[in-house]
Amino acid sequence: MAELAALEDPKARAVNEKHGDDHGVNLGRLRAIAKRLKTQHDLALRLWATGDTAARLLALLVCRPKAFGRDELDVMLREARRPKVHDWLVNYVVKKSPHAEELRVLWFADPDPVVASAGWALTAERVVKEPEGLDLDGLLDTIEAGMKDASHRLQWAMNHCLAQIGIEHPSLRARAIGTGERLEVLKDYPTPPNCTSPFAPIWIDEMVSRKS
């Protein structure tokens, strides 16, 4: 904790706070510490228990994802209110867990939009890697009905799922693009040069053209 505190950078904190994160540690330096420590699950548990955002990010880098129980991950996600902690928990830990599918179903319909966004993130992963058994048309129905008015993080996750359906499933591509065009979610999102817009119709067209 003292080492993390010594890495505090006011400029990094100012940037992170714009994204809803409350830490001032450069993520490259954080990853360097994790590389030095290697996997230490017991240490990860103690770091997580501090509640400190930088410590929790480090915990997610040095933990053993498959060592967490389903209920343990559920509690952790509901505690993870900072965007970066939430994202890393889902992407670095939950996606590698044997409980990922069970948690996807549990979180997908949760009334808390932040929790539900994790369910949608895991669903987008399945759309790409294991779509068998998913009702893709039903997902598009839900997106059409709810994405426009969803809170920011849930909307972002639903939009990601929409784009992946369009990219990965040619038979639904026209519908996915049409849905994106009608809803106009993230249409005006500021996109840096050489980056792909998160607006689903542009995103889908760009990724399909790259594949071909």
Side-chain angles (χ1 to χ4, degrees):
M1 294 302 294
E3 186 172 354
L4 290 175
L7 292 176
E8 175 73 22
D9 180 348
K11 290 182 179 178
R13 177 172 288 273
V15 171
N16 291 329
E17 286 181 344
K18 290 181 181 179
H19 301 288
D21 292 309
D22 61 344
H23 73 94
V25 179
N26 176 280
L27 295 181
R29 292 185 175 184
L30 197 71
R31 290 181 187 279
I33 295 174
K35 186 175 182 180
R36 187 187 80 223
L37 293 173
K38 300 183 172 60
T39 301
Q40 295 194 42
H41 193 73
D42 289 342
L43 174 60
L45 296 177
R46 299 205 304 276
L47 287 168
W48 184 271
T50 68
D52 177 79
T53 294
R56 284 187 162 183
L57 291 173
L58 182 59
L60 296 172
L61 295 175
V62 301
C63 72
R64 187 174 291 108
K66 293 180 180 179
F68 291 110
R70 191 208 78 152
D71 293 344
E72 197 173 8
L73 290 172
D74 183 54
V75 170
M76 289 171 70
L77 185 90
R78 294 174 192 279
E79 292 177 350
R81 307 311 289 185
R82 297 299 177 181
K84 187 63 72 177
V85 175
H86 176 100
D87 291 345
W88 282 20
L89 176 60
V90 172
N91 288 299
Y92 297 168
V93 179
V94 178
K95 286 182 180 180
K96 299 176 182 177
S97 166
H99 309 293
E101 177 59 16
E102 193 176 355
L103 289 169
R104 181 190 75 81
V105 174
L106 175 69
W107 293 338
F108 186 85
D110 198 279
D112 183 335
V114 176
V115 175
S117 73
W120 277 92
L122 294 173
T123 300
E125 179 90 347
R126 263 203 66 184
V127 165
V128 176
K129 294 185 176 179
E130 195 179 350
E132 296 77 14
L134 285 179
D135 179 3
L136 298 179
D137 279 301
L139 287 173
L140 289 173
D141 290 341
T142 303
I143 290 167
E144 288 175 351
M147 184 171 75
K148 182 81 170 178
D149 298 319
S151 63
H152 173 71
R153 287 175 58 191
L154 178 55
Q155 184 183 71
W156 193 272
M158 293 174 81
N159 183 72
H160 186 194
C161 190
L162 172 64
Q164 295 295 9
I165 291 172
I167 293 164
E168 300 293 336
H169 301 278
S171 64
L172 294 171
R173 187 167 295 150
R175 183 182 175 192
I177 291 173
T179 296
E181 289 173 342
R182 283 192 301 277
L183 297 180
E184 297 187 333
V185 168
L186 301 176
K187 183 177 182 179
D188 299 319
Y189 190 84
T191 305
N194 302 318
C195 291
T196 302
S197 169
F199 180 47
I202 295 176
W203 188 356
I204 293 167
D205 284 342
E206 173 66 21
M207 297 311 294
V208 170
S209 69
R210 288 187 194 180
K211 286 189 174 189
S212 61

